Amino acid sequence: MRGTNVPLILVTNDDGVRSPGLCALADALREVGEVLIVAPDREQSAASHALTLQRPLRLEQVAPGTWAVDGTPSDAVYLGINAVLKGRRPDLIASGINLGANLGDDITYSGTVAAAMEGTLLGAPAFAISMAARRDFHFETACGFAARLARSILAHGLPKMALLNVNVPNVPPSPEVPYRVTFQGKRRYTDAVIDRTDPRGRTYYWIGGDELGFDAVEGSDAVTVLRDRMISVTPVHLDLTHVRLLDQIAAWSI
Ligand code: MN
């Protein structure tokens, strides 16, 4: 879509500019607006909200309307707005489709969600979208919902400091997959540490455990996607203050 009243949508991710999830999301959102892709040049999963401040960054145009950044998802959004768009705010930022869920605690590690956070901080409404699967992705389910959600956000707007974190079960789009507005739940992982010895006799480690399950809290993101096989839409606030603890901590007289 092109024209002066056509919304501009910045699409990014944390799986890298060649991810099939990114391509699927961009294609879906071309039905809604003009799409600009600015994404990391390689996988940056679990990069969280990191910015690259200790070395220079390079932007490379890899296709029409598509730019790769040799940095993090937040670098990509920052450069997308401040370099590619020369400070113009896009009407919407969409991050994903991530190849894996971002439920519960995952939000604090997720580069996918952090890219949406960076967009929010830079003044553009944003959503992150992830698929709860590791292979054989039904992207069409997430794509259909992403286009509907994009239209809704463009129509309603989002408050400052707020974004939407969307997770989609890996099921076919027909019959239509229902959605639920949810709160952040709790996933469980093993605290695995695998140690090995390198060819020079030194120990090295792989961290990051396997998924054990999730807490069965009704209305949470994890229950909605992993048990009920529904789409989860979680409003996320960037103000991390624990409001209910303010008085309690003040009473400590530290
Ligand atoms: Mn990822």
Side-chain angles (χ1 to χ4, degrees):
M1 287 176 92
R2 285 191 179 273
T4 49
N5 292 321
V6 174
L8 176 62
I9 304 173
L10 176 59
V11 175
T12 191
N13 72 350
D14 78 355
D15 292 328
V17 73
R18 293 181 197 84
S19 170
L22 178 90
C23 300
L25 181 61
D27 285 346
L29 294 178
R30 284 190 184 99
E31 304 295 318
V32 181
E34 181 182 345
V35 168
L36 169 70
I37 298 172
V38 186
D41 65 356
R42 69 199 73 183
E43 177 160 4
Q44 294 283 334
S45 293
S48 189
H49 201 176
L51 285 175
T52 301
L53 302 179
Q54 310 302 332
R55 61 172 177 85
L57 288 166
R58 308 283 176 179
L59 257 176
E60 185 188 357
Q61 186 163 13
V62 294
T66 304
W67 298 77
V69 178
D70 61 344
T72 65
S74 294
D75 293 334
V77 172
Y78 187 100
L79 283 176
I81 291 177
N82 292 313
V84 179
L85 293 173
K86 298 183 168 46
R88 178 185 166 195
R89 294 293 178 270
D91 299 291
L92 179 66
I93 293 179
S95 179
I97 299 166
N98 192 59
L99 309 184
N102 278 303
L103 298 160
D105 309 341
D106 301 340
I107 292 179
T108 59
Y109 302 99
S110 170
T112 308
V113 176
M117 288 181 179
E118 186 63 16
T120 302
L121 290 173
L122 292 176
F127 73 92
I129 186 163
S130 307
M131 291 219 67
R134 288 288 164 205
R135 63 187 70 81
D136 303 325
F137 298 96
H138 283 285
F139 288 126
E140 64 277 23
T141 307
C143 285
F145 191 77
R148 285 161 51 201
L149 179 66
R151 287 193 177 93
S152 288
I153 294 174
L154 290 166
H156 297 284
L158 282 172
K160 282 190 170 61
M161 302 286 279
L163 61 93
L164 299 180
N165 180 41
V166 179
N167 282 274
V168 181
N170 197 33
V171 294
S174 178
E176 190 173 292
V177 184
Y179 74 92
R180 184 186 287 151
V181 179
T182 63
F183 52 85
Q184 188 180 346
K186 176 81 181 166
R187 282 180 110 180
R188 302 268 168 204
Y189 293 97
T190 59
D191 299 323
V193 176
I194 294 167
D195 53 285
R196 295 274 189 273
T197 305
D198 74 18
R200 290 170 190 158
R202 296 176 53 191
T203 304
Y204 65 93
Y205 301 93
W206 281 97
I207 62 168
D210 290 333
E211 191 176 355
L212 282 174
F214 54 90
D215 289 0
V217 181
E218 294 301 322
S220 70
D221 54 6
V223 160
T224 297
V225 177
L226 302 176
R227 188 194 72 188
D228 297 343
R229 312 295 277 170
M230 292 169 65
I231 296 169
S232 162
V233 180
T234 308
V236 174
H237 196 189
L238 292 191
D239 181 349
L240 299 181
T241 309
H242 194 308
V243 174
R244 280 171 294 146
L245 263 186
L246 284 172
D247 289 346
Q248 204 174 317
I249 302 301
W252 280 11
S253 306
I254 300 163

